[in-house]
Amino acid sequence: PISTLLYTIKFELMVKQLSLAKSTEELQKKAENVLINEKSDEKTILRYIKSANAVFIKAESVYLQGDEEQAYLYYHKYFHVFSQLRATHEFIKKNRVILDEIEKTLPIRNCKKAIDRAEKLKKSLISRYGEQEAIKLRTRIEEEERKRLEEETSRKLAELERLKIEASNPVVDAATLFTQVISKVVLITIPAK
């Protein structure tokens, strides 16, 4: 529908610059810094469930603001915490309080949404990180070429200056000096971009 198309166009215009990492792997490592002890008690697990829900809400918020890196980070963190919760002894023992809280606070649709959005964001981020690297590489090559040309020009100007000094020396004949100066002037021409 038209509203979806307009939202997509608006979202693409709002996308924020990359600043957190250089790759999706780096973002994943940042997201996976939460470790839940398998033997955590019920109270601790309930706190993690509430925290995971807050992470999902934050992911949704930054996604809508166009911050793909932050959104990917939070969706990945949400899924990581959710996966770790499922590995706890309380979950495995089918503790009714834990299962009810997970079902109420972390519905499976949110987990599916987090996975779908993270996959979509990953594709976009991989593309954007690649473009960013290409731009950096191109800029570095252009800068190196500019420095090389500056050094070459400086060297040739120094040579011309040396020739001028030699010209003031009456021992050098005019024909030799003229030939040297002309050959150096031809070498100074800088190629156009």
Side-chain angles (χ1 to χ4, degrees):
I2 286 284
S3 61
T4 305
L5 178 63
L6 291 175
Y7 175 76
T8 303
I9 292 169
K10 181 180 177 192
F11 180 76
E12 288 175 3
L13 293 174
M14 294 175 21
V15 174
K16 296 200 165 107
Q17 286 190 325
L18 301 174
S19 62
L20 295 178
K22 295 180 181 174
S23 68
T24 54
E25 291 80 15
E26 198 175 316
L27 284 174
Q28 288 171 357
K29 285 178 186 171
K30 288 181 180 188
E32 293 172 359
N33 65 357
V34 177
L35 295 174
I36 299 175
N37 186 342
E38 298 173 345
K39 298 176 183 175
S40 295
D41 64 351
E42 183 178 297
K43 198 174 187 179
T44 303
I45 293 172
L46 290 172
R47 280 196 308 264
Y48 276 115
I49 292 170
K50 289 185 187 342
S51 295
N53 188 50
V55 167
F56 181 79
I57 291 168
K58 181 69 175 175
E60 290 287 282
S61 171
V62 295
Y63 178 78
L64 293 175
Q65 293 170 14
D67 193 338
E68 290 184 334
E69 276 183 314
Q70 284 282 345
Y72 182 78
L73 179 77
Y74 285 120
Y75 284 127
H76 196 78
K77 185 175 281 203
Y78 171 80
F79 185 71
H80 178 70
V81 170
F82 186 82
S83 298
Q84 285 195 340
L85 285 170
R86 295 176 57 102
T88 62
H89 291 306
E90 293 296 318
F91 185 89
I92 293 168
K93 288 189 319 187
K94 304 219 184 292
N95 178 325
R96 198 70 243 158
V97 173
I98 299 293
L99 294 176
D100 288 346
E101 188 63 26
I102 285 176
E103 191 175 308
K104 181 179 85 178
T105 310
L106 308 175
I108 212 67
R109 73 177 179 279
N110 285 359
C111 197
K112 287 179 182 175
K113 189 176 192 179
I115 292 169
D116 291 343
R117 288 226 172 128
E119 287 175 358
K120 178 182 172 187
L121 289 167
K122 184 175 184 175
K123 289 176 186 173
S124 175
L125 287 169
I126 287 172
S127 171
R128 291 179 64 204
Y129 285 132
E131 290 171 9
Q132 191 176 35
E133 267 316 296
I135 289 169
K136 283 180 184 176
L137 179 62
R138 190 176 330 115
T139 303
R140 185 176 52 98
I141 290 170
E142 288 172 355
E143 181 64 22
E144 288 171 0
E145 180 65 14
R146 186 189 60 74
K147 283 181 182 177
R148 187 189 65 74
L149 287 173
E150 284 176 359
E151 288 170 2
E152 188 176 322
T153 301
S154 294
R155 187 177 42 78
K156 289 178 181 178
L157 288 173
E159 178 67 17
L160 277 176
E161 192 61 35
R162 185 187 64 76
L163 288 172
K164 282 182 187 177
I165 291 171
E166 284 179 8
S168 64
N169 183 352
V171 177
V172 179
D173 69 71
T176 306
L177 181 62
F178 180 76
T179 306
Q180 288 177 345
V181 170
I182 293 300
S183 67
K184 298 302 176 186
V185 169
V186 170
L187 291 175
I188 289 184
T189 58
I190 298 173
K193 286 189 176 183

